[in-house]
């Protein structure tokens, strides 16, 4: 029998691969506790599958949602809830085949009440389909913010028609609470809201990330909500500001004025005024590139709005020589950027497409070992290597 520390290291080596973790948990009792630790560290609850055979304007879930199943699991084994550090809620997809389950969920709030060690909470939706604000979501957000270890909140593509409820959710009962990061992306608001409902003790946020991927008056409303007489957060204590800005720099100047007293780092990202089309059915993206055009893939990847993209392949054109020192940082950055933009990406295929001498083998292995996505099984590297005039890979 191997020592417990060795068994834990074996499981830790596969912490990014959920299939391997599940297999480890079934392999024996020695692997189960460590496997559960990684399996339940991050929970993603998305829209349930639907029954498209039924006619009519509404969509119908085929059965229990993932949230319903998770509640049953946590009630049967409450200790598992202590492992959950990240909770992600997702909605969106095809405009006629999406169940907006959060507003109608009866199990989401009970689930959140069990997550006492929560450190990160996110709600994400496709940009063209804003999630619906509801009392369920307001209670969920308020419960998460009340968790003592929470350090990060992300809200993407959400329409808030009850701004007062948003203020109530951010009202911190314990003065001095600090968030490491607050990310707000394409959040829209109702036109009328009552400033008197603003929180008496606003949260302190060290890093604020604001992104609007199209010109919108809601960015001005967000500035007002965050910086009014009774602001949503302590905007004057933000140290790191990251903005996605367009052609209108008036709001940009407002952000700088608000954060000037404490700002230590400013990150800017520019977008085109014309919104890129939403490609809901795109699953596979293939590039055939030369060494000199690899970096241009960044612009193409940024231009895509493909929420269901599953695989990206980069194939090197015949006759190109793969320079490890030159391409290594580009490949690492490109893969990391793609996995951030496309949450459903399951495979990145790097086809070098040429035969190397054996001396390149070590360099190639070093490249792969530095990539967490390679260890998790996300990255697949295809290369043919000759040793003694015999092809081995």
């Amino acid at each position: 029998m191997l020592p417990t520390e060795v068994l834990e290291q074996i499981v830790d080596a596969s912490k990014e691969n959920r299939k391997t973790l599940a297999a480890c948990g079934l392999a024996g009792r020695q692997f189960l506790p460590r496997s559960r630790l990684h399996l339940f560290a991050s929970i993603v609850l998305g829209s349930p599958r639907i029954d498209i055979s039924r006619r009519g304007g509404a969509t119908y879930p085929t059965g229990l949602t993932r949230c319903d199943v998770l509640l049953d699991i946590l009630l049967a084994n409450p200790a598992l809830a202590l492992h959950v550090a990240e909770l992600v809620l997702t909605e969106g997809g095809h405009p006629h085949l999406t169940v907006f389950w959060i507003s109608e969920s009866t199990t989401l709030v009970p689930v959140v009440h069990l997550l006492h060690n929560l450190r990160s909470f996110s709600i994400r939706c496709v940009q063209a389909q804003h999630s619906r604000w509801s009392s369920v979501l307001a209670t969920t957000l308020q419960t998460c913010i009340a968790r003592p270890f929470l350090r990060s909140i992300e809200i993407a593509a959400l329409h808030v028609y009850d701004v007062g409820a948003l203020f109530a959710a951010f009202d911190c009962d314990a003065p001095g609470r600090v968030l490491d990061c607050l990310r707000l992306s394409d959040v829209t608001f109702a036109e009328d809201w009552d400033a008197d409902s603003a929180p008496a003790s606003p949260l302190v946020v060290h890093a604020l990330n604001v992104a609007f991927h199209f010109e919108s008056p809601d960015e001005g409303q967000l500035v007002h909500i965050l910086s009014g007489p009774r602001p949503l957060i302590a905007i004057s204590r933000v140290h790191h500001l990251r903005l996605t800005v367009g052609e209108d720099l008036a709001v940009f100047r407002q952000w700088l004025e608000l954060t000037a007293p404490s700002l230590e780092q400013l990150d800017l990202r520019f977008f085109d005024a014309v919104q890129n089309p939403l490609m809901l059915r795109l699953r596979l993206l293939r590039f055939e590139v030369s060494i000199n055009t690899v970096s241009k893939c960044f612009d193409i990847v940024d231009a895509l709005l493909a929420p269901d993209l599953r695989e990206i392949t980069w194939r090197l054109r015949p006759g190109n020589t793969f320079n490890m020192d030159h391409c290594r940082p580009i490949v690492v950055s490109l893969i990391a950027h793609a996995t951030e933009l496309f949450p459903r990406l399951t495979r990145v295929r790097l086809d070098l497409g040429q035969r190397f001498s054996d001396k390149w083998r070590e360099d190639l292995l070093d490249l792969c070992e530095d990539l967490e996505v390679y260890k998790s099984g996300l990255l697949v590297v295809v290369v043919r290597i000759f040793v003694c005039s015999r092809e081995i890979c």
Side-chain angles (χ1 to χ4, degrees):
M1 177 64 67
L2 294 174
T4 302
E5 293 80 2
V6 176
L7 296 176
E8 290 180 349
Q9 290 180 9
I10 293 173
V11 176
D12 291 345
S14 303
K15 64 181 180 180
E16 303 295 336
N17 192 322
R18 298 186 68 85
K19 291 184 178 179
T20 303
L21 288 174
C24 289
L26 296 173
R29 291 176 178 264
Q30 307 95 321
F31 295 99
L32 185 58
R34 199 69 173 183
S35 300
R36 283 178 168 176
L37 177 65
H38 296 305
L39 279 171
F40 285 87
S42 178
I43 300 295
V44 180
L45 302 177
S47 298
R49 296 182 179 180
I50 61 171
D51 181 5
I52 62 175
S53 63
R54 300 183 63 172
R55 299 185 179 277
T59 54
Y60 305 89
T62 57
L64 296 176
T65 66
R66 297 186 68 180
C67 190
D68 299 336
V69 175
L70 178 62
L71 180 60
D72 292 339
I73 293 174
L74 297 183
L75 291 178
N77 194 341
L80 296 177
L82 300 177
H83 298 323
V84 181
E86 180 184 19
L87 178 63
V88 180
L89 310 180
T90 65
E91 288 185 324
H94 194 283
H96 303 297
L97 300 177
T98 298
V99 176
F100 290 92
W101 64 277
I102 296 177
S103 60
E104 300 177 0
S105 176
T106 59
T107 55
L108 180 57
V109 173
V111 164
V112 174
H113 277 294
L114 298 173
L115 308 181
H116 299 289
N117 291 333
L118 198 64
R119 289 171 172 77
S120 175
F121 172 73
S122 303
I123 174 170
R124 304 167 184 166
C125 186
V126 178
Q127 291 177 6
Q129 300 172 275
H130 284 71
S131 292
R132 304 168 182 173
W133 180 262
S134 64
S135 58
V136 174
L137 184 56
T139 305
T140 299
L141 182 59
Q142 187 174 23
T143 305
C144 290
I145 292 177
R147 291 290 174 252
F149 301 109
L150 190 75
R151 290 295 178 265
S152 175
I153 296 176
E154 177 185 6
I155 303 176
L158 176 68
H159 176 67
V160 183
Y161 65 83
D162 188 355
V163 182
L166 180 66
F167 279 132
F170 272 79
D171 195 356
C172 183
D173 295 332
R177 277 292 310 277
V178 176
L179 283 181
D180 290 336
C181 182
L182 174 63
R183 295 184 291 272
L184 302 172
S185 175
D186 296 317
V187 180
T188 61
F189 301 93
E191 294 183 1
D192 299 324
W193 55 280
D194 184 9
D196 294 334
S197 60
S201 302
L203 285 172
V204 176
V205 176
H206 286 163
L208 178 63
N209 187 337
V210 178
F212 282 86
H213 296 90
F214 49 89
E215 298 290 349
S216 172
D218 292 287
E219 186 173 6
Q221 282 188 296
L222 179 60
V223 171
H224 186 44
I225 290 173
L226 294 181
S227 62
R230 299 179 62 186
L232 188 68
I233 64 171
I235 190 69
S236 61
R237 299 180 65 178
V238 173
H239 300 312
H240 181 187
L241 178 63
R242 184 178 183 183
L243 295 176
T244 301
V245 297
E247 296 179 349
D248 184 8
L249 297 181
V251 179
F252 166 67
R253 294 189 184 94
Q254 293 183 38
W255 285 115
L256 293 186
E257 292 173 0
L258 293 172
T259 57
S262 60
L263 194 62
E264 298 175 1
Q265 180 176 344
L266 175 64
D267 298 342
L268 294 179
R269 181 181 179 188
F270 295 89
F271 67 91
D272 296 329
V274 179
Q275 188 177 4
N276 297 311
L278 180 64
M279 292 173 285
L280 294 170
R281 301 190 64 179
L282 186 64
R283 303 288 191 276
L284 175 62
L285 176 63
R286 291 179 178 174
F287 293 96
E288 183 172 322
V289 297
S290 63
I291 291 299
N292 297 327
T293 59
V294 172
S295 58
K296 295 182 180 179
C297 295
F298 279 98
D299 297 332
I300 298 174
V301 169
D302 281 337
L304 290 177
L305 294 179
D308 205 26
L309 188 67
R310 307 296 177 89
E311 180 177 337
I312 300 179
T313 297
W314 280 283
R315 184 178 184 275
L316 197 64
R317 287 177 180 172
N320 280 255
T321 302
F322 184 80
N323 187 313
M324 193 70 66
D325 294 332
H326 174 68
C327 292
R328 180 190 184 116
I330 297 178
V331 170
V332 172
S333 300
L334 195 56
I335 293 175
H337 192 55
T339 53
E340 181 181 353
L341 289 176
F342 308 112
R344 296 190 179 183
L345 194 65
T346 57
R347 173 167 293 187
V348 176
R349 186 180 178 90
L350 181 61
D351 187 352
L352 303 182
Q354 66 181 85
R355 297 170 175 83
F356 293 86
S357 61
D358 188 44
K359 67 179 182 180
W360 290 99
R361 187 180 182 86
E362 288 188 20
D363 290 338
L364 182 63
L365 292 177
D366 289 342
L367 169 65
C368 296
E369 289 175 359
D370 285 350
L371 299 178
E372 290 295 332
V373 291
Y374 181 79
K375 298 176 184 177
S376 67
L378 174 65
L379 173 64
V380 178
V381 177
V382 180
V383 61
R384 287 163 288 281
I385 301 176
F386 271 91
V387 177
C388 299
S389 300
R390 294 175 60 189
E391 189 172 349
I392 64 170
C393 182

